[in-house]
Amino acid sequence: MTASTTINKGDRLLHQNVLGSRRFSNYWWATIVTLGATGFLLAGLSSYLRVNLLLVTDATQLIFVPQGLVMGLYGTAGLLLASYLWLVILWDVGGGYNEFNQETGTFKIFRWGFPGKNRQIQIDSSIQDVQSVRISLKEGLNPTRALYLRVKGRRDIPLTRVGQPLSLTELETQGAELARFLEVPLEGL
């Protein structure tokens, strides 16, 4: 769920940073897609210009229609995908924090979204409205393990990051810590 959890001010403030799209795996895939797409685009250009632009092979031997043209199109599509991946990382979509303040009796859930009028996603509410902390487990081909905050008059609010599922022990530990801090029951075990 979080990169770090901080309890401050005499154990009255719980602050949890949530890792968004700035994960190692996103940097890895953005780099791989960028390199592959650049290679395809340079191969397509090399076959068109009859000048070798690649270091590892001689793409001037490719016939431009259809091989070079298709390579260029694959390269262009790949660079568009890579641009999207790099922008999502730059904007840190999904990153933010969860803050529970017992002094003021409020909690704040904050996340960054895509640019636009709703770029900042923020939920503020009273701790008194929190009914429970819920653990959701779904195993199988696409497993999900997440923590939710059950609040009166609202849908369940997700507290964990999207992407890699947390380990069961980490999920249980974080859920129990939050339920103990908020003095509410822990559901879903």
Side-chain angles (χ1 to χ4, degrees):
M1 162 175 41
T2 61
S4 66
T5 300
T6 310
I7 300 177
N8 293 348
K9 297 180 185 171
D11 298 340
R12 305 285 292 164
L13 177 70
L14 176 68
H15 184 88
Q16 301 170 323
N17 290 319
V18 177
L19 184 64
S21 59
R22 292 183 180 168
R23 296 190 308 260
F24 174 75
S25 62
N26 288 352
Y27 283 104
W28 169 261
W29 287 114
T31 302
I32 294 299
V33 170
T34 301
L35 291 174
T38 302
F40 273 98
L41 186 61
L42 289 177
L45 287 174
S46 293
S47 72
Y48 178 73
L49 300 173
R50 296 286 177 216
V51 175
N52 189 20
L53 300 173
L54 292 171
L55 300 174
V56 293
T57 188
D58 185 15
T60 58
Q61 302 303 317
L62 293 174
I63 302 168
F64 180 68
V65 176
Q67 295 167 326
L69 184 63
V70 170
M71 297 280 268
L73 291 174
Y74 282 162
T76 303
L79 285 177
L80 289 173
L81 175 62
S83 299
Y84 169 76
L85 292 172
W86 285 114
L87 286 173
V88 166
I89 291 169
L90 176 72
W91 294 326
D92 195 22
V93 174
Y97 62 87
N98 306 325
E99 185 174 274
F100 303 92
N101 191 337
Q102 288 185 340
E103 284 183 16
T104 61
T106 60
F107 71 86
K108 181 190 295 187
I109 310 296
F110 178 83
R111 300 289 187 276
W112 288 108
F114 287 99
K117 67 177 186 171
N118 296 326
R119 169 114 166 91
Q120 295 180 0
I121 302 160
Q122 183 171 326
I123 299 171
D124 293 309
S125 189
S126 172
I127 289 179
Q128 300 290 339
D129 294 339
V130 176
Q131 295 175 326
S132 66
V133 175
R134 184 174 65 86
I135 293 179
S136 173
L137 299 171
K138 182 182 137 196
E139 299 299 330
L141 194 57
N142 188 17
T144 58
R145 297 178 189 145
L147 279 180
Y148 291 90
L149 198 62
R150 183 161 284 169
V151 181
K152 291 178 194 170
R154 290 182 180 249
R155 294 177 22 190
D156 290 354
I157 301 170
L159 299 176
T160 52
R161 69 176 186 237
V162 176
Q164 301 170 308
L166 299 169
S167 69
L168 288 174
T169 56
E170 186 179 356
L171 188 67
E172 289 175 1
T173 303
Q174 290 178 359
E177 176 188 352
L178 182 57
R180 192 176 317 113
F181 182 81
L182 296 175
E183 299 171 353
V184 296
L186 180 63
E187 297 178 352
L189 288 179

